[in-house]
Amino acid sequence: QVQLVESGGGLVQPGGSLTLSCAASTLTLRYYTMRWFRQGPGKERKLVASISGFDNSTTYTDSVKGRFAISKDNAKKMVYLQMTSLKPEDTAVYYCNADPLYVGLGSFWGQGTQVTVAS
């Protein structure tokens, strides 16, 4: 059974840093684009960052460019989101997602981890 398990969330002051982790227990990460989404209070879930299984190319939503960095370790089956210069508007539940690159593979979501940025 595929599981994505996020960790690393918590309460941090504005300007602080956090690193989120996503453990993808049974996935071959090269077969997926791994993505981080977030959903703030009363808001829609939105894509924050992605990293391609083809070539490790990355994308970011404009609001986090220069502050967040997505990375992965294929051997450890881990995906990371380094978040710096955090702002109150970054407060959200952050979700890890595996988006398949090949037909026949499923898409998977983690349960989410709460990030709260407040003084």
Side-chain angles (χ1 to χ4, degrees), residues 33-38 46-51 57-61 64 68-71 79-81 94-95 97:
T33 292
M34 298 303 298
R35 307 187 292 182
W36 285 98
F37 285 76
R38 67 185 179 188
K46 292 188 176 181
L47 178 63
V48 175
S50 69
I51 184 165
S57 60
T58 58
T59 66
Y60 299 93
T61 192
V64 308
F68 290 12
I70 188 171
S71 61
V79 184
Y80 306 99
L81 185 68
Y94 284 71
Y95 297 90
N97 167 254

Side-chain angles (χ1 to χ4, degrees), residues 8 21 31 41 56 68 70 85 88 105 116:
S21 299
Y31 298 165
N56 291 332
F68 290 12
I70 188 171
S85 302
L105 297 178
T116 302

Side-chain angles (χ1 to χ4, degrees), residues 12-117:
V12 63
Q13 292 186 342
S17 300
L18 278 177
T19 296
L20 305 183
S21 299
C22 173
S25 59
T26 62
L27 295 183
T28 299
L29 296 187
R30 291 182 290 107
Y31 298 165
Y32 296 84
T33 292
M34 298 303 298
R35 307 187 292 182
W36 285 98
F37 285 76
R38 67 185 179 188
Q39 186 167 16
K43 298 182 180 180
E44 295 181 350
R45 191 174 299 189
K46 292 188 176 181
L47 178 63
V48 175
S50 69
I51 184 165
S52 171
F54 280 136
D55 58 6
N56 291 332
S57 60
T58 58
T59 66
Y60 299 93
T61 192
D62 285 346
S63 62
V64 308
K65 284 180 180 177
R67 299 189 299 123
F68 290 12
I70 188 171
S71 61
K72 65 187 175 95
D73 184 324
N74 288 344
K76 294 182 179 179
K77 300 183 185 293
M78 295 292 296
V79 184
Y80 306 99
L81 185 68
Q82 290 180 286
M83 306 185 294
T84 63
S85 302
L86 283 161
K87 304 175 181 180
E89 50 263 44
D90 295 319
T91 295
V93 179
Y94 284 71
Y95 297 90
C96 181
N97 167 254
D99 185 43
L101 293 170
Y102 301 100
V103 174
L105 297 178
S107 177
F108 304 99
W109 290 88
Q111 82 290 347
T113 186
Q114 176 70 47
V115 172
T116 302
V117 184

